[in-house]
């Protein structure tokens, strides 16, 4: 009955979404929006959460009478993979998507009090329309609760590449970010319908954008590290279309986050902010279409049914096309915002937005062009790192240089001698560049410039605190400082990985050694080992560097359900880098293949990502705290 109860909850939630949409379309004739639409949105959130909890219960119990469980689980799987396996497949991941959408809609209905009733009504109507489409997709094309008669004796198991603790963290955070942007989208649509685009809208939108951006940053950072250690190829970003599908919403959300601040503080960039809100969620839907339609081959692509892809494409055209048409129709009614000079904080933020938009366009074209060529000409081509690195890398460095001065500028106009204010970080950057040249290290120009820019930005990120009382500096300012420092740290990590990584591919017998970077690695031998649902050959390595000696045990695993071989890398982190070891196949002459990497300071990439997200979280807490204090003071003054 658990499956039937979950399915019934989804049907009820869909009916409530239809009711909520009807209330929005009926307008003031049905009375106060909060008397019907708000309870309907909250009930949707609870019902969808119940349906998702029901699916998790079916996976934990390994109920093989449910088709989805039989196809994606196994009774011998460890508990964590039976639990997280609920969203490690197409239907479950889409139910997670819809659950986040419904819960976000419920939170919006409950918490938003700053906007006029008509704007709230239109916003909840837009959110209900989004939810209704995806409820329809689940119930018509991707039912996660479909029964299977007769039930098989055993399940087919979860994709072994997904049997990793990262599955429990990476998809939920990424989805919270993806779908959290739906609120910004609905607010933009609601404001266009009621012609109510102004600072109040920006202040209502900002916490949602900031929260979604923080979660997207964490999700992308976690996904990068997951792919790094789980796939055994030693890289942290390959510009894979699925990776790009997560990056595109993040780029749009980053631009939106900065423009919404201009609208909230100065009333400027009104039409641009609305457009970015539409684009950011559109990129989330494009990513969903790419990953869930089956047109890409990836560990994330669970669906190969063209009918499902067509359904998602239809939703994409309906929502994105509808929002863009509404924007084109109403943009003439959006009032012009406050004007500003080129040399001003607004000017720097516009430049920031333009550079981010160029990177977004670059990634969008590079990701979709091979699909377009295959669809039109039937020819398979690939666009890989050489294109993305050559086009995006210099723009990222320009963006980082902009961070030297942007946060120091005044609003509207700044006539101060700004070059003098950034002399210190510029001097540090030039010294770092000189050091890379004098060191004689062989590296690409992009890596050299990356190291120099990162050094300068690390200093520049603290300049907004100079001359302030650190205790009285707003949390939002601290958040900006931490995030910009995180950008510097991440760029430094990427540049170090590009410039200093050493790789050794070899085949050895027991007792033989290989050298990678400063390490000498001796191959001791192999042993067979077994896990709960896999067997493996485990290699034993002894790595030495001076007086230090470390043991590594990489594995080559074999899963029977489904039949799959994976490489489990053995990685050790040191103060100056990571030693990464992978055991390959045994050759015909008895030697074992080894892949070894020495990666100096590579962990700075993920530390930088964490700092970027931490800064966003601190800024969000600061703004929420300030708004709460303002409301308390207003109530006290009224009393």
């Amino acid at each position: 009955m658990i499956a039937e109860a979950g399915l019934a909850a989804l049907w009820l939630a869909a009916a409530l979404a239809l009711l909520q949409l009807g209330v929005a379309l009926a307008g003031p004739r049905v009375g106060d929006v909060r008397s019907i639409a708000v309870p309907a949105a909250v009930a949707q959130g609870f019902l969808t959460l119940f349906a998702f909890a029901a699916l998790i219960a079916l996976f934990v119990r390994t109920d093989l009478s449910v088709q989805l469980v039989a196809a994606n689980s196994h009774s011998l799987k460890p508990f964590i993979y039976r639990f997280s396996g609920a969203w490690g497949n197409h239907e479950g991941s889409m139910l997670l998507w819809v659950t986040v959408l419904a819960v976000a809609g419920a939170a919006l209905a409950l918490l938003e009090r700053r906007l006029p009733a008509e704007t709230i009504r239109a916003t909840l109507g837009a959110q209900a329309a989004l939810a209704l489409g995806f409820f329809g997709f689940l119930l018509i094309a991707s039912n996660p609760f479909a029964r299977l008669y007769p039930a098989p004796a055993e399940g087919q198991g979860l994709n072994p590449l997904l049997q990793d603790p990262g599955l429990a963290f990476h998809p939920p955070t990424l989805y919270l970010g993806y779908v959290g942007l739906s609120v910004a989208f609905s607010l933009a649509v609601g404001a266009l319908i009621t012609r109510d685009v102004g600072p109040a809208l920006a202040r209502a939108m900002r916490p949602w954008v900031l929260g979604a951006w923080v979660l997207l940053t964490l999700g992308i950072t976690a996904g990068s590290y997951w792919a790094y250690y789980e796939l055994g190829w030693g890289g942290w970003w390959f510009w894979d279309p699925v990776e790009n599908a997560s990056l595109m919403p993040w780029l749009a959300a980053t631009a939106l986050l900065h423009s919404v601040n201009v609208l909230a503080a100065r009333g400027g960039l009104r039409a641009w902010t609305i457009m970015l809100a539409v684009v950011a969620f559109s990129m989330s839907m494009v990513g969903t279409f790419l990953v869930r339609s089956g047109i890409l081959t990836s560990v994330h692509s669970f669906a190969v049914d063209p009918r499902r892809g067509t359904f998602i494409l239809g939703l994409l055209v309906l929502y994105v096309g509808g929002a863009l048409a509404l924007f084109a129709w109403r943009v003439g009614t959006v009032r012009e915002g406050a004007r500003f000079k080129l040399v001003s904080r607004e000017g720097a933020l516009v430049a920031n937005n333009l550079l981010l938009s160029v990177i977004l366009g670059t990634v969008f074209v590079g990701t979709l062009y091979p699909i377009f060529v295959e669809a039109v000409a039937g020819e398979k081509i690939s666009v890989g790192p050489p294109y993305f690195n050559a086009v995006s890398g210099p723009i990222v460095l320009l963006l980082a240089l902009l961070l030297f001065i942007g946060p120091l500028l005044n609003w509207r106009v700044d006539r101060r001698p700004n070059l003098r204010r950034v002399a210190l970080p510029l001097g540090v950057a030039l010294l770092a560049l000189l050091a890379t040249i004098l060191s004689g290290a062989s590296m690409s120009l992009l890596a050299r410039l990356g190291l120099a820019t990162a050094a300068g930005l690390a200093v520049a990120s603290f300049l907004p605190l100079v001359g302030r009382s650190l205790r009285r500096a707003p949390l939002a300012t601290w958040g900006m400082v931490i995030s910009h420092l995180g950008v510097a740290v991440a760029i430094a990590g990427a540049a170090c990985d590009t410039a200093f990584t050493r790789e050794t591919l070899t085949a050895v017998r027991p007792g033989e050694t290989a050298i990678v970077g400063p390490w000498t690695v001796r191959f001791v031998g192999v042993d067979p080992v077994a896990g709960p649902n896999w067997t493996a050959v485990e290699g034993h390595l002894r790595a030495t560097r001076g007086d230090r000696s470390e043991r590594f045990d990489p594995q080559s695993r074999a899963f029977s359900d489904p039949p799959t071989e994976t490489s489990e890398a053995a990685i050790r982190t040191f103060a100056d880098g990571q030693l990464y070891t992978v055991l390959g196949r045994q050759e015909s002459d008895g030697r074992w293949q080894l892949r070894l990497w020495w990666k100096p300071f590579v962990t700075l990439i993920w530390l930088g990502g964490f700092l970027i997200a931490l800064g966003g979280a601190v800024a969000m807490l600061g703004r929420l705290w300030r708004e709460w204090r303002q409301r308390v003071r207003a109530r006290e003054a009224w009393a």
Side-chain angles (χ1 to χ4, degrees), residues 64-88:
L64 298 175
S65 69
V66 175
Q67 187 174 332
L68 189 65
V69 179
N72 296 279
S73 192
H74 194 286
S75 60
L76 295 180
K77 276 198 315 183
F79 173 80
I80 184 173
Y81 304 137
R82 279 186 280 132
F83 181 88
S84 57
W87 56 82

Side-chain angles (χ1 to χ4, degrees), residues 180-254:
L181 291 174
S182 69
V183 176
F185 176 90
S186 296
L187 284 166
V189 170
L192 282 173
I193 291 172
T194 58
R195 299 181 177 89
D196 186 22
V197 180
L201 172 73
R203 285 191 283 273
M205 185 186 291
R206 185 164 52 190
W208 297 98
V209 177
L210 197 46
W213 181 81
V214 167
L215 290 163
L216 265 179
T217 306
L218 286 175
I220 292 172
T221 303
S224 168
Y225 192 67
W226 179 17
Y228 171 77
Y229 73 78
E230 180 62 21
L231 299 184
W233 58 284
W236 55 275
W237 194 267
F238 194 65
W239 295 105
D240 176 88
V242 176
E243 293 175 330
N244 295 345
S246 67
L247 182 62
M248 289 189 287
W250 184 87
L251 290 167
T254 306

Side-chain angles (χ1 to χ4, degrees), residues 176-177 180-181 184 202-218 250 253-254 256-258 260-261 475-476 479-480 483 612-624 627:
L176 285 167
L181 291 174
R203 285 191 283 273
M205 185 186 291
R206 185 164 52 190
W208 297 98
V209 177
L210 197 46
W213 181 81
V214 167
L215 290 163
L216 265 179
T217 306
L218 286 175
W250 184 87
T254 306
L256 173 60
L257 183 61
H258 289 86
V260 85
N261 280 329
L475 279 177
M480 178 185 65
S483 284
I612 293 170
L614 176 64
V618 170
M620 184 168 67
L621 287 175
R623 295 196 183 282
L624 292 175
E627 289 181 10

Side-chain angles (χ1 to χ4, degrees), residues 129-493:
L130 288 176
L132 193 58
F134 282 95
F135 280 130
F137 175 71
L138 274 181
L139 295 169
I140 297 171
S142 293
N143 178 11
F145 298 107
R147 289 287 189 183
L148 184 64
Y149 299 106
E154 189 51 272
Q156 297 176 22
L158 178 66
N159 183 339
L161 289 175
L162 299 177
Q163 295 185 33
D164 182 272
L167 181 63
F169 178 76
H170 165 56
T173 50
L174 207 55
Y175 274 31
L176 285 167
Y178 270 174
V179 189
L181 291 174
S182 69
V183 176
F185 176 90
S186 296
L187 284 166
V189 170
L192 282 173
I193 291 172
T194 58
R195 299 181 177 89
D196 186 22
V197 180
L201 172 73
R203 285 191 283 273
M205 185 186 291
R206 185 164 52 190
W208 297 98
V209 177
L210 197 46
W213 181 81
V214 167
L215 290 163
L216 265 179
T217 306
L218 286 175
I220 292 172
T221 303
S224 168
Y225 192 67
W226 179 17
Y228 171 77
Y229 73 78
E230 180 62 21
L231 299 184
W233 58 284
W236 55 275
W237 194 267
F238 194 65
W239 295 105
D240 176 88
V242 176
E243 293 175 330
N244 295 345
S246 67
L247 182 62
M248 289 189 287
W250 184 87
L251 290 167
T254 306
L256 173 60
L257 183 61
H258 289 86
S259 68
V260 85
N261 280 329
V262 176
L263 178 53
R266 307 300 303 172
L269 304 183
R270 298 181 183 221
W272 177 244
T273 301
I274 294 296
M275 172 58 85
L276 280 178
V278 172
V279 169
F281 184 62
S282 300
M283 290 298 104
S284 294
M285 290 196 60
V286 168
T288 303
F289 168 69
L290 289 176
V291 177
R292 296 291 174 259
S293 63
I295 63 174
L296 297 177
T297 301
S298 160
V299 67
H300 302 77
S301 303
F302 308 116
V304 291
D305 182 354
R307 188 168 61 103
R308 294 173 175 175
T310 304
F311 203 126
I312 298 178
L313 183 61
L315 293 178
L316 178 65
V317 171
L318 175 66
Y319 295 136
V320 177
L324 291 177
L326 178 64
F327 179 82
W329 179 31
R330 289 293 175 86
V331 68
T333 67
V334 177
R335 287 187 301 163
E336 183 183 8
R339 296 191 174 189
F340 53 86
K341 297 293 184 182
L342 181 62
V343 182
S344 63
R345 185 172 294 192
E346 293 97 322
L349 289 170
V350 168
N352 156 294
N353 271 221
L354 290 176
L355 291 172
L356 284 167
S357 299
V358 172
I359 299 173
L360 173 59
T362 300
V363 177
F364 185 83
V365 170
T367 303
L368 294 186
Y369 179 68
I371 299 171
F372 176 77
V373 169
E374 185 176 356
V376 173
E379 182 183 355
K380 285 185 176 293
I381 66 169
S382 63
V383 177
Y387 161 78
F388 290 106
N389 291 338
V391 178
S392 300
I395 303 174
V396 170
L397 294 184
L398 278 177
L399 197 57
L401 287 172
L402 188 63
L403 296 181
F404 281 34
I405 184 64
L408 305 179
L409 296 175
N410 287 330
W411 293 106
R412 296 186 61 187
V413 62
D414 194 319
R415 296 189 176 89
R416 294 172 293 175
N418 290 306
L419 193 58
R420 188 187 308 169
R421 302 167 69 193
V422 293
L424 179 60
L426 282 177
V428 170
L430 289 174
L431 284 175
L433 181 62
L434 186 61
T436 65
I437 296 171
L438 295 178
S439 69
S442 175
M443 65 182 76
S444 66
L445 177 62
L446 195 61
R448 203 180 297 280
L449 293 175
L451 287 170
T453 304
L457 180 56
V459 176
S461 59
F462 288 98
L463 292 183
L465 296 174
V466 173
R468 287 175 178 247
S469 167
L470 298 184
R471 291 178 53 192
R472 295 185 177 181
L475 279 177
T477 302
W478 276 105
M480 178 185 65
V481 168
I482 295 170
S483 284
H484 289 177
L485 177 63
V487 174
V489 171
I491 291 175

